Amino acid sequence: MDIVDIQAVESKLSVIEEMGREVRPTYAGSKSSAERLKRGIVHARILVRECLMETERSARQYLNRMEEFKSSSNVSILHVFDTIYSADSVEWCPHKPCQHMFVCANYQLDNKSGESSAEKCKRFGKILLFSINKLGQLTMHQTIDTEAVLDQKWCHNQINGHSILGVVTAKNRLEIYKLDPELQELQLVTRIENEDSEVLMLSLDWSTGKYASDEPTIVTSDSKGSINLFDFIDNKLIRGTCWNAHSFEAWICAFYYWNTAVIFTGGDDCKLVKYDLRMGSIPLLKSSAHSAGVTCLHSNRQKEHILASGSYDSNLLLWDIRNMKRPISSTEMPDTLWRILHMVLIGVIYQNQNEQILTGAACILKMSKKRKPLVL
């Protein structure tokens, strides 16, 4: 949001505040307050119309940016599949022989009226398991009904010969599945639920990004701003440390893969926070480089010291974690970033397997030698 937008919002809020101050005197019989309240209501109606017009304008701008991106890219649609619920996460299995398989997580909010607020706000979800064969044909193998899924990630290495999937849900629950390649299905291994079921687990990350482990650690974040650690040992989840990291929702958490004692978190309080588990829950750094909530983080497993962050403010920032006074680069994206991923280009698309790219907000970026992302 730019300065003009912020000033417009502040002016609208000031009108509402002024109206609020006139309500009580009006009830007490003050004619002047009643007149000011009437004028305020008329003004508020005008502001509401302006807000609706601004919303429509923003929606048109977003659609135009998406159309520009589609027209400037070589992306073509191969398949369209109706997931019924809103699809919010897609993760390809990283291990042979299942690299042709992926999971799609879903989220649906049910606003049916009920006796309690919890019944008014039920969150449903599904986990869909798909594969694509050599001919490019899409097949759905399995549907798992669950609570709304907010995030899912595969463990970077196999454990006991199995590909392991971690899932966090709207019931403050962490679930672990293993993939059976012969049956082509996910099987629940274990789950653990925190006490407050009204809290939403929002993200997770595995400690195995750089160094493989048969007993990995999982970090999760939740809607109360808390960070939770779990150890996955002998097919069981063991609860570890928990602390409050943010004033509002902790949208994202991520290990620094080169040293998993270091964890980064991002929240709706616009803060990017760095922790070292050897120092307990005391933050080593709090950055306010983003002007809105920090929604995604990812450590580069191929290049040491590099971290990427994204936000509601539509900016993708690259950091050298040795000096985080300011990011080493900033790139404006078409819209809010919810997930970003460092990758290595494979194949002959660019004739170079060492190039770094970032994906996010439906865009692909290539890292130049000067560490400046270039939109492809």
Side-chain angles (χ1 to χ4, degrees):
M1 184 177 292
D2 56 31
I3 296 175
V4 175
D5 291 334
I6 292 173
Q7 290 176 344
V9 171
E10 289 178 347
S11 68
K12 293 174 176 62
L13 291 175
S14 65
V15 171
I16 295 172
E17 290 176 0
E18 290 173 4
M19 289 173 59
R21 288 194 290 268
E22 302 296 345
V23 171
R24 184 170 293 179
T26 299
Y27 275 113
S30 172
K31 292 183 179 181
S32 59
S33 293
E35 287 300 321
R36 286 193 295 269
L37 184 58
K38 288 179 183 178
R39 290 196 297 270
I41 291 173
V42 172
H43 192 188
R45 288 174 177 171
I46 296 172
L47 292 177
V48 168
R49 286 197 295 269
E50 290 177 355
C51 288
L52 291 174
M53 293 171 62
E54 179 65 22
T55 301
E56 292 176 0
R57 186 183 67 82
S58 298
R60 286 195 299 270
Q61 288 180 344
Y62 172 76
L63 292 174
N64 290 337
R65 288 197 299 268
M66 291 298 101
E67 289 300 323
E68 289 174 3
F69 169 73
K70 290 178 183 178
S71 62
S72 63
S73 67
N74 296 320
V75 177
S76 59
I77 298 175
L78 299 179
H79 299 281
V80 176
F81 186 92
D82 185 1
T83 60
I84 303 177
Y85 296 164
S86 301
D88 60 5
S89 173
V90 174
E91 293 283 334
W92 288 88
C93 180
H95 310 124
K96 296 180 180 180
C98 299
Q99 290 176 314
H100 65 298
M101 304 188 76
F102 67 91
V103 284
C104 175
N106 294 266
Y107 180 110
Q108 191 71 23
L109 187 64
D110 186 358
N111 287 319
K112 291 181 180 179
S113 60
E115 296 180 358
S116 67
S117 59
E119 291 178 350
K120 294 179 183 178
C121 197
K122 290 183 178 179
R123 297 176 175 88
F124 302 102
K126 294 177 183 289
I127 303 172
L128 308 178
L129 179 65
F130 292 91
S131 70
I132 293 182
N133 63 19
K134 294 180 179 179
L135 299 177
Q137 298 170 326
L138 180 70
T139 303
M140 187 178 74
H141 299 281
Q142 184 183 16
T143 300
I144 302 174
D145 291 309
T146 181
E147 294 84 19
V149 177
L150 282 304
D151 196 14
Q152 57 177 355
K153 287 188 177 72
W154 296 96
C155 181
H156 301 84
N157 59 266
Q158 290 187 319
I159 299 177
N160 297 324
H162 292 286
S163 296
I164 303 296
L165 178 70
V167 176
V168 291
T169 74
K171 281 289 185 181
N172 206 5
R173 183 180 293 165
L174 171 62
E175 300 177 342
I176 303 296
Y177 295 86
K178 67 178 180 181
L179 177 60
D180 189 318
E182 294 183 359
L183 298 177
Q184 294 186 318
E185 68 175 22
L186 292 167
Q187 300 170 352
L188 181 65
V189 176
T190 186
R191 60 162 60 109
I192 191 168
E193 184 174 335
N194 286 338
E195 294 180 358
D196 190 350
S197 61
E198 295 304 310
V199 174
L200 286 68
M201 278 197 184
L202 299 175
S203 74
L204 82 153
D205 196 16
W206 295 83
S207 62
T208 50
K210 181 65 179 177
Y211 305 107
S213 173
D214 290 331
E215 297 181 348
T217 300
I218 302 171
V219 59
T220 68
S221 64
D222 66 37
S223 58
K224 281 195 173 181
S226 296
I227 303 300
N228 303 269
L229 292 175
F230 302 90
D231 291 318
F232 183 57
I233 301 174
D234 295 330
N235 289 334
K236 296 180 181 179
L237 286 168
I238 301 173
R239 196 185 307 273
T241 308
C242 173
W243 71 93
N244 186 265
H246 295 274
S247 305
F248 304 105
E249 290 89 345
W251 289 118
I252 191 68
C253 56
F255 282 103
Y256 172 54
Y257 294 141
W258 295 75
N259 179 0
T260 54
V262 177
I263 291 175
F264 292 91
T265 68
D268 209 48
D269 53 6
C270 310
K271 296 292 190 297
L272 189 164
V273 187
K274 177 183 179 181
Y275 292 93
D276 190 322
L277 300 179
R278 295 165 295 190
M279 304 293 290
S281 59
I282 301 173
L284 298 183
L285 174 142
K286 285 188 178 183
S287 172
S288 299
H290 285 290
S291 60
V294 180
T295 51
C296 50
L297 295 165
H298 198 253
S299 169
N300 190 327
R301 58 190 293 193
Q302 279 86 33
K303 195 172 184 63
E304 194 174 4
H305 309 305
I306 300 301
L307 178 79
S309 66
S311 166
Y312 281 124
D313 64 13
S314 304
N315 288 316
L316 172 67
L317 305 184
L318 287 183
W319 303 86
D320 185 328
I321 69 166
R322 294 169 295 183
N323 182 3
M324 295 188 67
K325 290 183 179 180
R326 59 183 62 87
I328 57 178
S329 72
S330 175
T331 304
E332 185 176 358
M333 304 298 286
D335 212 308
T336 298
L337 289 88
W338 282 104
R339 289 295 179 266
I340 49 181
L341 179 64
H342 286 94
M343 299 173 64
V344 175
L345 291 178
I346 299 174
V348 296
I349 299 177
Y350 298 102
Q351 300 291 336
N352 187 346
Q353 292 185 345
N354 296 320
E355 290 282 359
Q356 296 287 332
I357 69 171
L358 291 165
T359 63
C363 288
I364 299 178
L365 307 180
K366 181 175 71 171
M367 288 286 290
S368 68
K369 292 181 179 179
K370 295 181 178 180
R371 293 181 176 176
K372 176 66 177 178
L374 306 174
V375 179
L376 300 179

